[in-house]
Amino acid sequence: MIRIEHLKKEYPNTTPLKDVSTVINDGDVISVIGPSGTGKSTLLRSINMLEVPTSGHIWIDDVEITDPKCDLEQVRNRMGMVFQSFNLFGHMTVIENVMSPPIDLLGMDRQRAYDEGMRLLRAVGLSDKALNYPDELSGGQKQRIAIARTLAMDPDIILMDEPTSALDPTMVGEVQAVIRELAKTGKTLIIVTHEMRFAKSICNRVFFMDEGGIYEDGTPQQIFDAPVGEKTRRFVRGLKVLELDIQNTIYDFLGMQTAIEEYCVKNQMPYRMAKHIHLTFEETVQQNLIAEYEKPDIHVTIEYSEEEETAVYTLDYSGKKYDILSEGNELSVSVLKTTAGDPRYEWDETRKYQNRLVMNIL
Amino acid sequence: MAAIVLTCLAGVTTLAKGDEITSKEQLKEPGRRIGCGIGSSAMLFVEDEFPEAILVYQEANEGYESVAQGKIDAYAYDRRQMQLAIDSGRKGVRLLDENLEEKVHVAVGISPKSKIHQLQEQLNTFIELSKADGTIDEMYDRWVVQGNEEMPDIPRYKDSNTILVVGTSGIVPPHSYYRGQELNGFDIELAYRFAAYIDADVTFKVYDYSSIIPAAASGDVDCIMANLNITPERAEALPFSEDIYTEDVGLMVRDTSSVGEGFIKSLKMSFEKTFIREDRWRLFVNGILTTLLITVLSVIAGTALGFVVFLACKDGNPAANAITRVCMWLVCGMPAVVLIMILYYIVFGNISVNGIFVSVLAFTLIFGSSVFGLLKMGVGAVDVGQYEAAYALGYSRQHTFFKIILPQALPHVMEAYKSGIVELIKATAIVGYIAVQDLTKIGDIVRSRTYEAFFPLIAIAVIYFLLEAFIGLFISRIHISILPEKRGRDHILRGIDTHDKD
């Protein structure tokens, strides 16, 4: 069991982990996902103290590894790690890479380490490469050897830091197959990954990381199919988001048009859709809301799914009840009908923004 | 090849017709180049008599060569010395009939730090007595005028409590030179006689003229008996005894009339003079052994030092790093010759230490710094992922360094390590400055006897090449043996039954 309490990691100019607390049970297979720069690798590397946390505590079973007096080497013997860049020992042959750690660190006799090493190499399909050097292997082969090296120590916990990210797409499959087998062995497995479909298929638990911690923790079904958090939903659906705020009748209209332009170009939106977003923004905000409210407070959200090629335009604004499509000027309404469809207007007095208009960009 | 080219060049310049110098008057013209020993009496006399001349500072043997090659117009030096060189076969030069106006005063230089009681008074009394009973005249006649090389029997006090340490040059026949492996000459006999006079045992230390005065000033020797001229500057640095004798200063000029011998014949003669005569090859063997000893000890100790310092600094200990930086800055910031002289004359100035020890110490520091730098470079070239992988498996820091990092770092730097050693062999050529007789110094000693600049130099260059090739080969062997890819299957799988049926 791994218990993490109030873990914080600070660097001079960034704080990837603000306050993380969680418990990981024996046999859990956990995928850690999230946008880049949200501390996924930092969390993983803190669990074996390759990163020394700024504050907080981590226990592996009953041993507090964040305690300076802790015998880290002994804890690490029972905890394997697979790296994005493989990190095989370049001066050793494949079989030495696999058999040296148990000989050096567990005092295993050479014959047994060799037999066990060859068994693992057969398991990852590379027993014929035993006497090759890492330089002579492909990326996928190297990563399979790295997994075999980790398994040779017979660890209880295995940490994998983006194990397939540095691989050619053609080699991802062979490594994933090995990890898939590993997930069935009952060892605790924590994988940082970008391959969400793969993550969904092997794990029993997912950490979605954002905002300096574990933003959402749940089963794959919850995280991928029915996410609770807004950011989780956007991430798992691959949504690209643009948010704009307008709090004055004199606002930087051209600046906002430019921001929309950049957002559309960056996400390679179809030209038609980009034009429609511009028009929708102009007709709703500029032509109607600014004219209607003396003190406007408007929040615009545009969500674009590249995969589905759909964009959702959401307009939140506070103040009196006002439905643009039924009460706004006629010219605008007729333009909006050509740029956005399926409009849904809601009024809810209890919200910060009482008015909400959601439309799908055509 | 290089040897042949050099010889041809020398031959051409010798035969070329320059203007013949026949009188002192000619040398008084502006722009004449006159050679002399630096700080010698001859230098001062030349400055007085030829104020328009350009002075070129050279020791005698180089001076003779320069005159013969027409690089300088004349060389001013002890007339008898130069006559002796010509009598011994020095070609392409002759002496002007006129001498310089002033004479050289030769005396014994005395260390102000000598522990021998009233050394100066005793020396003066000894010289007066020896002059009075005709001993000095008889010695001078025998060594200098007749050229008799036999050392007479003088009683020695082998187990005396007092030891007289005499600094001498070893390169100025007939005053102080090597006959075979033994020091010989007028000054040596004088030293024996004086030691006998004060009931002391005697030992000699051999120096270049440029470092002999500092050696006496620092107390490294009790006195200097090296045909030493008294000059006002030297008299400021050291007390001197009464004059032993005075000498004329002559002028050597180029002799265009003498014709060189056949190349092969002269090469044969040079070889005979340099190596065979008086068993001089033994000197070379000793020189090679000394050079090798200093190099090998410095390489071993320097490598160990570099390693130890690197290990102390590698984990970022601020104190160790600061000390290392300062020491590296000191050691690397000055020429090796300055470092070695500072160690010998200042750091160990008041302690009697062996010159070889000081040489090894200096080159250990120098080589240690370069090993430190190489390790830093090699270890820095190993990817940080290798550390992480080892730590993640549970290797300790030390275990990681020695088992994972070092074996990958060493192959990167072996080539540079090898050239570092070759550099070191060459750099050891300066130890002659502190009275160590290495290969280069032996070359000087032999040249002083053969009156030849060329052949011994080439011979020494060839020997250095051979030493470097030999050591290079040795290191290449080590290099290959530490390359992980060179290990055979049997080594990798030693002690393992692979269950192969075949």
Side-chain angles (χ1 to χ4, degrees):
Chain A
M1 191 174 70
I2 304 169
R3 191 150 53 89
I4 300 174
E5 280 182 10
H6 303 297
L7 182 70
K8 178 176 180 183
K9 178 67 188 180
E10 236 173 357
Y11 293 111
N13 40 21
T14 169
T15 307
L17 299 180
K18 289 190 184 123
D19 183 5
V20 176
S21 299
T22 191
V23 172
I24 296 165
N25 297 309
D26 289 344
D28 269 354
V29 176
I30 298 179
S31 292
V32 183
I33 60 169
S36 53
T38 51
K40 303 185 295 293
S41 291
T42 309
L43 175 65
L44 196 76
R45 291 159 58 87
S46 296
I47 294 174
N48 69 354
M49 290 293 278
L50 279 186
E51 298 286 348
V52 179
T54 312
S55 63
H57 305 273
I58 301 171
W59 284 266
I60 307 288
D61 296 332
D62 297 327
V63 184
E64 187 192 345
I65 59 165
T66 41
D67 182 348
K69 291 190 291 266
C70 164
D71 181 2
L72 263 186
E73 277 118 40
Q74 206 167 1
V75 176
R76 283 168 171 169
N77 285 343
R78 298 174 36 232
M79 190 156 41
M81 184 155 193
V82 175
F83 298 85
Q84 181 178 351
S85 50
F86 330 124
N87 296 344
L88 292 177
F89 299 135
H91 60 304
M92 295 182 182
T93 55
V94 164
I95 184 65
E96 286 172 297
N97 262 283
V98 177
M99 67 190 229
S100 292
I103 293 172
D104 292 342
L105 303 171
L106 305 178
M108 195 181 279
D109 75 74
R110 290 177 61 80
Q111 183 65 50
R112 211 183 123 207
Y114 173 81
D115 293 341
E116 184 65 6
M118 287 308 286
R119 185 184 69 76
L120 288 166
L121 289 182
R122 273 191 293 275
V124 299
L126 288 168
S127 53
D128 57 329
K129 301 286 184 192
L131 288 173
N132 285 70
Y133 282 86
D135 280 353
E136 301 157 0
L137 306 178
S138 74
Q141 290 172 329
K142 282 188 212 178
Q143 196 62 297
R144 284 188 277 157
I145 304 292
I147 293 170
R149 176 177 70 179
T150 301
L151 292 176
M153 293 289 287
D154 194 22
D156 304 327
I157 300 166
I158 299 174
L159 310 171
M160 295 194 171
D161 191 0
E162 305 195 24
T164 57
S165 298
L167 296 179
D168 214 87
T170 56
M171 297 172 182
V172 171
E174 61 189 68
V175 174
Q176 284 183 348
V178 171
I179 299 175
R180 208 180 289 277
E181 286 305 309
L182 196 55
K184 296 176 191 162
T185 57
K187 290 181 190 294
T188 307
L189 194 57
I190 307 173
I191 309 178
V192 173
T193 184
H194 289 297
E195 309 275 341
M196 282 191 276
R197 209 165 296 152
F198 172 67
K200 191 175 172 182
S201 70
I202 65 159
C203 63
N204 66 345
R205 198 170 159 192
V206 178
F207 289 170
F208 174 73
M209 296 198 58
D210 206 332
E211 297 182 354
I214 300 173
Y215 182 87
E216 192 167 340
D217 172 0
T219 63
Q221 289 70 31
Q222 178 197 328
I223 299 287
F224 292 111
D225 300 337
V228 176
E230 187 64 21
K231 291 201 168 174
T232 317
R233 183 182 66 83
R234 285 175 186 167
F235 182 80
V236 298
R237 288 193 53 209
L239 299 183
K240 303 291 188 286
V241 180
L242 179 71
E243 291 178 287
L244 302 166
D245 280 297
I246 298 128
Q247 269 140 355
N248 202 312
T249 49
I250 313 160
Y251 72 103
D252 183 7
F253 176 68
L254 282 178
M256 294 211 171
Q257 288 283 37
T258 311
I260 293 169
E261 179 74 41
E262 278 172 5
Y263 164 77
C264 295
V265 170
K266 198 174 93 188
N267 295 305
Q268 296 176 308
M269 261 184 225
Y271 172 73
R272 165 190 51 82
M273 219 169 215
K275 199 177 110 191
H276 287 173
I277 290 173
H278 277 286
L279 281 171
T280 307
F281 178 73
E282 187 177 345
E283 296 306 329
T284 52
V285 177
Q286 182 68 4
Q287 300 296 344
N288 282 290
L289 297 182
I290 294 297
E292 188 65 31
Y293 295 102
E294 270 176 33
K295 282 189 180 163
D297 185 5
I298 307 163
H299 185 77
V300 181
T301 311
I302 306 164
E303 293 175 340
Y304 171 65
S305 163
E306 199 175 353
E307 210 172 313
E308 298 160 20
E309 219 178 80
T310 57
V312 176
Y313 182 89
T314 307
L315 203 55
D316 290 295
Y317 46 101
S318 56
K320 65 175 197 273
K321 185 178 177 193
Y322 174 67
D323 179 4
I324 300 170
L325 290 167
S326 56
E327 299 167 58
N329 80 59
E330 279 176 31
L331 188 60
S332 293
V333 172
S334 66
V335 172
L336 282 174
K337 279 186 178 148
T338 66
T339 64
D342 193 17
R344 285 143 281 159
Y345 174 75
E346 289 167 22
W347 162 259
D348 184 345
E349 255 177 309
T350 60
R351 284 201 302 235
K352 184 188 169 210
Y353 299 102
Q354 295 89 341
N355 298 279
R356 164 171 278 195
L357 177 62
V358 182
M359 290 182 286
N360 296 341
I361 299 290
L362 296 173
Chain B
M1 189 62 206
I4 295 167
V5 171
L6 277 176
T7 318
C8 294
L9 284 177
V12 168
T13 48
T14 311
L15 295 175
K17 289 218 190 303
D19 72 326
E20 182 110 32
I21 291 170
T22 51
S23 71
K24 267 164 74 175
E25 276 315 303
Q26 264 176 291
L27 290 172
K28 289 186 178 162
E29 295 161 11
R32 289 291 184 186
R33 296 162 63 82
I34 301 179
C36 52
I38 187 160
S40 65
S41 302
M43 176 187 92
L44 300 173
F45 303 161
V46 170
E47 281 174 346
D48 280 349
E49 278 194 55
F50 307 99
E52 308 267 19
I54 300 163
L55 289 187
V56 178
Y57 302 113
Q58 285 177 319
E59 294 212 11
N61 292 303
E62 283 85 349
Y64 304 160
E65 193 66 36
S66 294
V67 170
Q69 293 179 357
K71 287 183 182 146
I72 58 177
D73 293 297
Y75 189 78
Y77 190 47
D78 185 327
R79 186 179 183 91
R80 284 191 186 280
Q81 290 283 325
M82 296 197 291
Q83 190 59 55
L84 199 70
I86 291 170
D87 294 346
S88 307
R90 173 76 244 179
K91 296 287 183 227
V93 294
R94 62 187 178 75
L95 290 178
L96 287 184
D97 294 335
E98 304 158 275
N99 287 324
L100 295 187
E101 282 154 18
E102 285 191 64
K103 285 174 176 242
V104 166
H105 297 261
V106 175
V108 180
I110 298 158
S111 167
K113 292 192 176 170
S114 170
K115 295 196 174 63
I116 296 175
H117 183 63
Q118 291 191 316
L119 181 59
Q120 188 167 12
E121 288 73 12
Q122 297 206 64
L123 254 169
N124 283 338
T125 318
F126 166 74
I127 290 168
E128 263 169 45
L129 288 174
S130 305
K131 274 181 177 169
D133 68 9
T135 311
I136 297 269
D137 282 342
E138 183 273 327
M139 278 169 65
Y140 189 85
D141 184 64
R142 183 157 39 80
W143 286 107
V144 184
V145 181
Q146 296 176 21
N148 182 345
E149 296 198 61
E150 292 307 319
M151 178 66 72
D153 264 344
I154 296 155
R156 303 280 298 272
Y157 291 79
K158 274 285 180 201
D159 299 315
S160 171
N161 289 329
T162 318
I163 297 175
L164 177 73
V165 183
V166 176
T168 191
S169 69
I171 55 168
V172 185
H175 298 277
S176 167
Y177 65 98
Y178 279 86
R179 186 182 187 215
Q181 281 67 250
E182 292 292 319
L183 276 168
N184 201 30
F186 179 94
D187 289 322
I188 309 304
E189 182 179 337
L190 188 71
Y192 286 145
R193 285 185 186 276
F194 177 61
Y197 172 73
I198 59 168
D199 297 349
D201 194 2
V202 63
T203 59
F204 294 96
K205 285 193 172 180
V206 176
Y207 292 89
D208 281 346
Y209 275 102
S210 50
S211 53
I212 201 163
I213 302 284
S218 72
D220 207 30
V221 296
D222 292 310
C223 62
I224 304 169
M225 295 187 182
N227 191 33
L228 195 64
N229 308 167
I230 308 178
T231 65
E233 250 179 0
R234 285 176 179 169
E236 269 177 35
L238 287 183
F240 277 83
S241 71
E242 301 284 317
D243 291 358
I244 308 172
Y245 51 83
T246 55
E247 278 290 357
D248 288 324
V249 178
L251 288 161
M252 181 183 270
V253 296
R254 191 168 170 203
D255 181 13
T256 47
S257 63
S258 75
V259 178
E261 293 157 21
F263 175 64
I264 298 294
K265 195 180 163 199
S266 73
L267 208 61
K268 259 188 180 164
M269 242 179 72
S270 297
F271 186 85
E272 195 274 336
K273 276 201 280 184
T274 304
F275 291 114
I276 310 297
R277 197 177 290 175
E278 294 180 5
D279 281 349
R280 284 179 189 142
W281 59 271
R282 288 181 191 275
L283 286 171
F284 280 94
V285 169
N286 286 338
I288 291 170
L289 290 179
T290 305
T291 293
L292 274 181
L293 180 73
I294 294 172
T295 306
V296 169
L297 289 181
S298 304
V299 165
I300 293 170
T303 306
L305 177 73
F307 247 98
V308 169
V309 173
F310 181 81
L311 291 182
C313 291
K314 115 181 128 64
D315 292 334
N317 180 334
N321 274 286
I323 295 170
T324 306
R325 245 195 319 277
V326 171
C327 291
M328 296 258 296
W329 174 72
L330 273 177
V331 169
C332 302
M334 67 176 102
V337 63
V338 177
L339 175 69
I340 204 169
M341 292 199 24
I342 287 180
L343 282 178
Y344 192 68
Y345 293 118
I346 299 175
V347 177
F348 293 108
N350 295 320
I351 312 163
S352 175
V353 285
N354 185 324
I356 292 183
F357 169 79
V358 175
S359 310
V360 170
L361 181 66
F363 287 109
T364 295
L365 289 174
I366 291 168
F367 195 67
S369 326
S370 80
V371 167
F372 176 81
L374 285 179
L375 278 174
K376 224 173 161 176
M377 193 176 81
V379 169
V382 176
D383 184 56
V384 67
Q386 298 286 317
Y387 291 90
E388 293 193 340
Y391 293 156
L393 284 163
Y395 280 94
S396 68
R397 292 181 87 87
Q398 293 301 327
H399 207 163
T400 300
F401 181 74
F402 286 106
K403 170 101 191 178
I404 309 295
I405 305 303
L406 204 56
Q408 300 188 66
L410 289 185
H412 287 301
V413 297
M414 279 310 279
E415 209 50 51
Y417 182 73
K418 191 167 111 185
S419 43
I421 293 177
V422 171
E423 283 297 315
L424 185 71
I425 302 176
K426 291 187 287 180
T428 58
I430 57 166
V431 297
Y433 273 93
I434 58 167
V436 175
Q437 295 186 0
D438 72 318
L439 185 52
T440 301
K441 182 67 184 177
I442 293 299
D444 289 344
I445 288 169
V446 170
R447 279 190 312 148
S448 75
R449 291 283 276 143
T450 60
Y451 300 99
E452 282 189 340
F454 156 67
F455 190 84
L457 279 183
I458 299 295
I460 283 176
V462 169
I463 295 174
Y464 272 112
F465 276 124
L466 293 176
L467 286 182
E468 285 153 19
F470 167 71
I471 290 192
L473 207 70
F474 182 67
I475 300 294
S476 296
R477 273 291 175 79
I478 295 181
H479 187 184
I480 287 169
S481 71
I482 66 163
L483 284 178
E485 299 84 44
K486 297 288 173 187
R487 298 170 307 154
R489 185 179 190 276
D490 294 340
H491 177 80
I492 294 168
L493 299 179
R494 62 195 179 283
I496 286 169
D497 174 12
T498 56
H499 315 293
D500 291 340
K501 298 283 176 286
D502 49 334

